[in-house]
Amino acid sequence: MNAEVDKLSVMYEGDRNRDATDKIRGFLFQDYVTIMCLLQNQVKYVCSEYLEDVDVIFEDGTFEFIQVKYYPKTYPNMKDILTDLYYQYLRLQMLRSTLKAKPSLYIHRDSEVGKPTLDEMKTYIGLGNALPKSAAYPDAAGSTAWLKAEVYTTNKKELQKKNLFAGMASEDSLKEFVSKYDIFLQADINQYEEKLMEALAEAYPNPDKDGDNEHWQFILLGLAISYIQRRYTLVNPVFEQLRVDKKEFDQYMTESVKTKTEQTIASYLAGIVCEEYGEIINSNDLSDIQTRMLNMIYQNTMRWINEIGKTVDGQYQLLNTYSTDDISKIAGYRGTSVDGRLLYVAECKQGFLVFLEYLWKIMLNICQKKVNNETGISAHLEMFNPLHYVDSSVTDYVCLNFPEDKYVNHSVILPRVGGNFNRVKRKIVERMVNISPKPEKWFFENSKLMRGKNYYNYSTANVNENPTVADLGRDSFYIECMNCIGIDENEWGKQEDCNNCIFSLKCVEEET
């Protein structure tokens, strides 16, 4: 197996420095496929983002290299997909790999995608009459040298494929590729998530027979996703670092769920982050660049939530931001058992979702104003990290400081009030009055709340007439109603200019 891994490393050497071009619509789907592969029998290793989106090595020597595509409404570029997979297949042949190649496409879309014919593959690789019947490859060492000299001299994927096909493609290898290639149609991301969580719960049953199954599934999902995503931050990784050993994954999951700890709560929150991101991806038509941006925001959020959620103080900080309960219940949180804290965090799930939705949409709006291509993303990586906007010196709540908001330094995203308006509003206001430093702006979505300037030292029923944020003084705050920010289904593709709404001097709703 080591010799075969060395051959895969030769292939990875040519792929690792490619320019970023073909990005799938939502990497979460790819992570879900990775985890589902790890739950299969006879799997030895699974890699995400190695040669293909997902690479699976089985105990019997089968090597499945998978492209993962999520196109609910649009049609995928089959030429790109199939030539990518043939590129991998042909290199395996050249290097005389003993692994049993299995090129696969895992795809979700509304209508089915058919397998290609040999004639279609000939058209895709574009050689016409120049395509030979067969090709003679050098030995493994010679093939390695040839790839480095003829293919890896460029980091442009299309040029790499063109050079390889021109020198080594043949009708015989295309026939073999077509016979081995397979398509696996997948459910949409929400249905796939449900299926995955059920599979995780079956593999790692809840030791608490009376425990909540839904909570348990989110815990397992968060644990598994976090384990996979650790590899995305590695610099110049090798196969041994990127691979997920099924036995090691199984041991990690088994040990992690034996006893509930603070990490259990962090994993539950991480599972909710995954669910929310999946909902957005599934119910909105986003451009490629929007998807790329949101994916980076999501992955950075996962790291942040895993970090802040693994301590009681961090959990308290989150809850004190988005809970709808009174100050006494929040204050007693730290003294509750792990089971009690997990239950309470789960009860506040809706507030957490609203917090994520508004934070992500504000961040996405800010990023879109400055970035319009892949190069721009690389130049502004910090903007896609929630911690870029969080004042780390404040520990009482998640205190936000948006550099684009020129009028306030401390703001907070509060939960929806919903029913029992006056009672719930009073509880939230009571908490805000007692935190330090007091936020100068509340992002507080509710049509029953008066927008504008308020004072911390009096009844919140009183509102200054016709105020602007610039009028803020000591012990006052400004309420943004959030009507200008769309977070509902089909609203994520719309870009709002925060400088002209939630970061403006005066609420635009007051001016209409």
Side-chain angles (χ1 to χ4, degrees):
M1 181 61 75
N2 288 339
E4 295 308 310
V5 168
D6 290 342
K7 293 172 185 176
L8 298 183
S9 298
V10 169
M11 296 168 68
Y12 181 58
E13 180 183 342
D15 293 355
R16 69 195 305 170
N17 295 320
R18 278 184 179 174
D19 60 329
T21 52
D22 186 26
K23 299 296 180 183
I24 71 167
R25 190 177 185 272
F27 291 101
L28 181 62
F29 194 65
Q30 179 177 317
D31 288 341
Y32 284 175
V33 170
T34 300
I35 297 168
M36 193 68 87
C37 287
L38 279 164
L39 297 177
Q40 293 181 40
N41 293 326
Q42 301 301 311
V43 166
K44 186 175 180 66
Y45 304 125
V46 179
C47 281
S48 183
E49 296 287 348
Y50 188 56
L51 298 183
E52 280 301 339
D53 296 325
V54 181
D55 299 313
V56 187
I57 297 178
F58 292 82
E59 295 284 358
D60 67 356
T62 298
F63 175 46
E64 184 177 18
F65 44 102
I66 305 167
Q67 284 232 347
V68 180
K69 298 296 179 186
Y70 194 79
Y71 292 117
K73 298 176 182 177
T74 57
Y75 194 82
N77 187 326
M78 294 307 297
K79 175 184 175 181
D80 284 350
I81 292 170
L82 289 164
T83 53
D84 281 356
L85 290 171
Y86 178 57
Y87 174 82
Q88 307 294 8
Y89 183 79
L90 185 53
R91 289 192 299 166
L92 285 169
Q93 284 190 318
M94 285 183 61
L95 294 168
R96 302 181 187 277
S97 173
T98 60
L99 295 172
K100 292 177 282 188
K102 184 181 178 182
S104 299
L105 171 62
Y106 286 38
I107 185 169
H108 167 71
R109 70 180 314 274
D110 288 343
S111 56
E112 291 190 7
V113 178
K115 291 185 66 172
T117 64
L118 177 61
D119 287 340
E120 285 174 329
M121 285 303 303
K122 288 180 179 180
T123 301
Y124 287 156
I125 66 172
L127 293 180
N129 294 330
L131 178 68
K133 178 74 170 64
S134 60
Y137 311 130
D139 60 18
S143 290
T144 298
W146 188 90
L147 287 167
K148 290 180 179 180
E150 303 295 333
V151 178
Y152 301 163
T153 51
T154 176
N155 70 341
K156 302 296 183 182
K157 180 171 69 171
E158 289 308 310
L159 191 53
Q160 285 183 343
K161 291 193 292 186
K162 180 180 178 181
N163 292 343
L164 178 66
F165 298 159
M168 294 294 172
S170 68
E171 184 172 325
D172 286 346
S173 70
L174 275 178
K175 283 182 180 178
E176 291 180 17
F177 170 79
V178 170
S179 68
K180 294 180 179 179
Y181 166 77
D182 210 348
I183 301 173
F184 298 91
L185 299 177
Q186 309 294 332
D188 71 47
I189 197 167
N190 291 340
Q191 294 172 318
Y192 197 94
E193 179 189 87
E194 290 180 13
K195 181 180 175 183
L196 175 59
M197 290 198 296
E198 289 171 0
L200 284 166
E202 183 177 349
Y204 309 103
N206 190 347
D208 182 2
K209 301 302 181 184
D210 298 322
D212 187 293
N213 288 332
E214 181 182 351
H215 298 168
W216 183 249
Q217 289 181 0
F218 278 119
I219 291 167
L220 295 175
L221 182 65
L223 280 168
I225 287 286
S226 301
Y227 190 78
I228 297 300
Q229 291 187 354
R230 291 176 189 175
R231 288 149 183 80
Y232 294 163
T233 59
L234 296 173
V235 178
N236 296 322
V238 296
F239 177 77
E240 285 73 16
Q241 294 173 302
L242 284 172
R243 74 183 184 189
V244 181
D245 185 301
K246 177 180 171 64
K247 291 180 180 178
E248 292 177 2
F249 174 78
D250 184 63
Q251 181 179 8
Y252 157 80
M253 293 294 292
T254 302
E255 292 298 321
S256 297
V257 301
K258 278 184 177 178
T259 308
K260 291 189 179 71
T261 65
E262 306 311 330
Q263 185 58 55
T264 307
I265 298 175
S267 297
Y268 172 81
L269 290 169
I272 301 303
V273 173
C274 293
E275 179 193 40
E276 177 58 29
Y277 176 62
E279 285 283 353
I280 295 169
I281 288 295
N282 202 50
S283 58
N284 290 273
D285 286 327
L286 302 174
S287 68
D288 289 343
I289 193 69
Q290 286 175 323
T291 299
R292 175 68 171 153
M293 290 179 179
L294 190 58
N295 180 72
M296 291 187 65
I297 291 170
Y298 147 72
Q299 288 199 14
N300 285 323
T301 302
M302 283 286 286
R303 286 188 276 274
W304 172 50
I305 291 299
N306 266 312
E307 190 62 29
I308 193 174
K310 70 181 183 182
T311 67
V312 178
D313 288 341
Q315 297 157 17
Y316 171 86
Q317 184 179 2
L318 288 168
L319 289 167
N320 204 32
T321 304
Y322 60 72
S323 170
T324 57
D325 287 319
D326 61 34
I327 192 170
S328 62
K329 184 164 185 177
I330 300 290
Y333 176 83
R334 290 186 175 95
T336 309
S337 67
V338 173
D339 283 333
R341 290 200 299 276
L342 175 60
L343 182 60
Y344 183 56
V345 167
E347 288 173 354
C348 297
K349 174 184 173 181
Q350 191 57 45
F352 185 43
L353 291 175
V354 172
F355 172 81
L356 289 176
E357 288 166 350
Y358 277 123
L359 177 60
W360 286 355
K361 190 61 182 295
I362 293 170
M363 289 176 61
L364 186 61
N365 285 332
I366 291 172
C367 293
Q368 288 181 96
K369 193 171 180 64
K370 292 188 177 181
V371 175
N372 54 25
N373 55 42
E374 192 78 24
T375 303
I377 290 179
S378 301
H380 297 282
L381 291 176
E382 73 286 346
M383 293 172 52
F384 301 90
N385 192 337
L387 289 175
H388 178 64
Y389 309 96
V390 174
D391 186 339
S392 59
S393 67
V394 179
T395 58
D396 227 10
Y397 64 103
V398 179
C399 179
L400 299 168
N401 182 3
F402 295 105
E404 292 74 14
D405 194 346
K406 298 178 176 58
Y407 304 103
V408 301
N409 296 320
H410 301 105
S411 56
V412 63
I413 295 175
L414 295 174
R416 291 190 181 105
V417 176
N420 300 317
F421 175 78
N422 289 328
R423 182 174 52 144
V424 177
K425 182 189 73 170
R426 173 179 54 77
K427 293 178 179 180
I428 295 172
V429 170
E430 182 185 21
R431 292 209 322 273
M432 293 301 105
V433 167
N434 283 277
I435 59 179
S436 179
K438 295 179 177 62
E440 299 144 331
K441 182 179 284 186
W442 295 6
F443 295 113
F444 205 178
E445 180 209 330
N446 200 294
S447 59
K448 295 181 182 179
L449 269 173
M450 293 293 290
R451 296 181 291 270
K453 185 177 179 181
N454 292 259
Y455 294 92
Y456 276 107
N457 59 356
Y458 79 149
S459 168
T460 57
N462 302 318
V463 179
N464 191 43
E465 291 80 7
N466 205 27
T468 70
V469 185
D471 297 325
L472 289 177
R474 186 179 179 85
D475 290 329
S476 61
F477 61 96
Y478 199 86
I479 292 180
E480 287 286 352
C481 67
M482 303 306 286
N483 287 351
C484 303
I485 303 295
I487 59 172
D488 205 348
E489 188 171 326
N490 294 319
E491 292 184 330
W492 284 80
K494 176 185 176 183
Q495 179 182 349
E496 297 100 358
D497 186 351
C498 292
N499 289 334
N500 291 327
C501 56
I502 61 171
F503 296 157
S504 65
L505 264 175
K506 185 174 182 177
C507 178
V508 295
E509 296 280 325
E510 297 284 350
E511 298 173 355
T512 58

